[in-house]
Amino acid sequence: AATRQAAEQAIEQIKGQPAAWFPAILSLARGFPEPQMRQMAAVVLRKSISKDPWTAAGLEAQTVVKAGLLEAVFPETQHLVRKALGDVISKLAAVASQAGGWPEVLPFVFKCCTEQDASLREIGLGLIVSVCEEVGEEAAHPLLEPMHPILMKCLEADNSIQVRTASFRAVASFVPYISGAKNKSKQQVLQQAIPQMFQVVDDALKSGIEHGKDCFSILNEMF
């Protein structure tokens, strides 16, 4: 309680100072002993990110926060906190894409998706969905071909159903950005995943997990 009170007082003092605010909230998201407080700090950080405050934070603070976010995910042991950090990364990637970009994000996504830890694979796959939605074609096109073999592997039956449904969503997230004759080769890449996507929907529905119906709806919208 004392730690939380001290943190709240420190936050109150730096409101309206983006250069101090962003690194301080990230520090709390990484440093709070209680997982629920780390998660809450990550949610606060995500909600506070928008173009004007981020620009006002300045290059030094921006660099610290970008590096710190990517460093925070792997050592974090709680899945919900990891997911909250992933949400911050996707939101910041969208804002950063309007001001110089964030080239380290795509290698980070690739690394997450190739980890043995299923939780990290889920985070990486979720980031693909979020980054495609937040950034759009600029992110989707360079991700698709290098990620294709990884996505195919994550759809396979020897993965948990959670990883498979996360991969399903990741594959589907590319669809809005590959329409038209100019993207025919990208369309052919995704078509290779269709049989496995049908299998994921079937297995998810049979397992009774809540994502099954969502996956079925997404698949229905794709055709």
Side-chain angles (χ1 to χ4, degrees):
T3 302
R4 178 175 178 176
Q5 185 177 12
E8 288 174 346
Q9 291 172 350
I11 289 169
E12 192 64 32
Q13 291 174 0
I14 58 173
K15 275 186 175 177
Q17 303 175 44
W21 169 268
F22 290 117
I25 302 301
L26 174 59
S27 179
L28 297 178
R30 299 183 68 177
F32 260 125
E34 303 91 346
Q36 65 269 28
M37 294 305 299
R38 296 199 299 276
Q39 182 183 0
M40 187 183 299
V43 171
V44 170
L45 181 57
R46 177 181 61 79
K47 289 182 176 180
S48 66
I49 292 173
S50 60
K51 183 178 179 181
D52 289 344
W54 181 248
T55 301
L59 183 60
E60 183 177 350
Q62 291 171 1
T63 301
V64 167
V65 172
K66 285 178 176 178
L69 274 171
L70 300 186
E71 291 167 0
V73 173
F74 276 70
E76 176 57 59
T77 58
Q78 300 296 314
H79 182 69
L80 289 177
V81 182
R82 276 179 171 173
K83 187 177 184 306
L85 290 168
D87 291 342
V88 180
I89 291 169
S90 61
K91 177 72 175 292
L92 183 53
V95 173
S97 70
Q98 304 168 30
W102 190 4
E104 295 84 3
V105 167
L106 299 189
F108 175 78
V109 169
F110 187 91
K111 180 171 174 54
C112 284
C113 291
T114 54
E115 285 292 310
Q116 290 296 315
D117 185 333
S119 173
L120 284 170
R121 293 205 302 278
E122 280 189 66
I123 296 299
L125 293 163
L127 273 171
I128 291 173
V129 177
S130 299
V131 168
C132 284
E133 288 175 351
E134 295 275 5
V135 181
E137 185 175 299
E138 181 185 338
H141 280 196
L143 264 176
L144 177 56
E145 292 195 25
M147 284 302 305
H148 175 251
I150 296 169
L151 292 173
M152 293 291 286
K153 186 171 180 58
C154 288
L155 287 169
E156 291 175 358
D158 58 348
N159 292 288
S160 70
I161 193 66
Q162 287 79 13
V163 168
R164 294 173 71 201
T165 53
S167 186
F168 178 103
R169 290 173 177 275
V171 173
S173 69
F174 289 102
V175 172
Y177 308 107
I178 60 168
S179 60
K182 66 177 182 178
N183 289 315
K184 189 173 181 179
S185 63
K186 292 182 174 63
Q187 294 165 17
Q188 291 172 339
V189 168
L190 278 194
Q191 285 169 1
Q192 297 172 34
I194 290 173
Q196 286 178 282
M197 293 177 77
F198 273 101
Q199 188 62 55
V200 170
V201 171
D202 186 49
D203 291 345
L205 289 170
K206 287 176 181 175
S207 71
I209 69 164
E210 59 181 283
H211 300 309
K213 291 181 180 179
D214 291 340
C215 289
F216 181 81
S217 297
I218 293 169
L219 192 62
N220 192 44
E221 291 172 6
M222 289 172 62
F223 296 98

